[in-house]
Amino acid sequence: MGILEGRRPGPALVLCGHLDTVGVAGMTAPFDPVVRDNRLYGRGAQDMKGGLAAIVGAVRRLADTGGIEAGRVIVAGVADEEDASRGAEALVARWRADTARRMPDAAVVTEPTDLRVGVAHKGFAWLRVTTTGVAAHGSRPAEGEDAILRMGRLLVHLDAYDRARQRQPGHPLLGPASLHASFIEGGREWSTYPDRCDLRLERRTIPGEPPDEPVMEISRLLEMLVEEDEDFAAAVELVFARRAHEISEDHELVRRLCAAAVAAGAPGDPCGVSFWADSAVLGEAGIPAVLFGPGGAGLHGTEEYVRIDDVLVCEDALAKLARSLCV
Ligand SMILES: [Zn+2]
């Protein structure tokens, strides 16, 4: 972390990016950056060393040109966003514990948005469903109960349910929520009725959904299956979840960042992004948070790059935002 203090007390702006990247399987030289045609190639170039470079550049630009009037600009490089966001969680916990100071007033997370202003993103929930049966010799249907075929009944309903949801408009910027089956496991051997089947699902959530909705919708389907067949036995469990995030397009931070971005030559229009980001952790802590970062391609892919001119425009826009907010 680094802090640029203003000349007197005032609003605190956090510029936040994650330092970690996803893995490098399938890449030939992931950490030997190559510059070609206004692009910088390498793992993490767009997700999100480019955004971090824009943050550091913006604060250096502010410091070199007389600093800021009031308040503070906080640079936060956080760990672990690609896994459990322990970095952003620790940051928020530290601010909560600091009773002498109020929470920061605004946050920009510089994840890649093609220089648009991300005001909404999806959340996700990881769920586990287990169906149970009775193990028995394969020749004895009167004794065996097939847990895998039971799971099949649920899968048919989940598929129909999600296809119906995809026909709904959903969130104005993000579209409908969605669900997919990630893993399925069950069975012991060819000649035995399976007594257990385990399904792991991912549900992508949209702002405004109640936090327990992913579990509740599956519970409702399971109840329906029990009504059809009283022997049907299954349970659903929430393993891990992250909330979706949204900030009003009329919020002062959004309006000021859009103006700063346009002044720097960026599109700077409000948009939604599909991926989850640390902005949700900051937002849940009560800090108004948006996403704004450079364009490029290949996030989590084997060829990743960031557009260098976008990094510079992002830097300029962040510096302009700090000058507009920290007064
Ligand atoms: Zn990222």
Side-chain angles (χ1 to χ4, degrees), residues 230 282 295:
E230 61 180 21
L282 302 172

Side-chain angles (χ1 to χ4, degrees), residues 125-147:
W126 291 342
L127 304 151
R128 182 192 296 269
V129 182
T130 306
T131 49
T132 43
V134 176
H137 193 280
S139 67
R140 299 185 178 193
E143 293 170 19
E145 291 180 22
D146 189 327

Side-chain angles (χ1 to χ4, degrees), residues 57-70:
V59 176
R60 187 175 53 194
R61 195 183 283 215
L62 291 167
D64 289 349
T65 54
I68 49 167
E69 254 339 283

Side-chain angles (χ1 to χ4, degrees), residues 21-34 40-45 301-302 304:
T21 70
V22 289
V24 296
M27 299 181 83
T28 42
F31 300 120
D32 295 327
V34 173
L40 186 142
Y41 290 82
R43 172 54 85 228
T302 52
E304 177 178 354

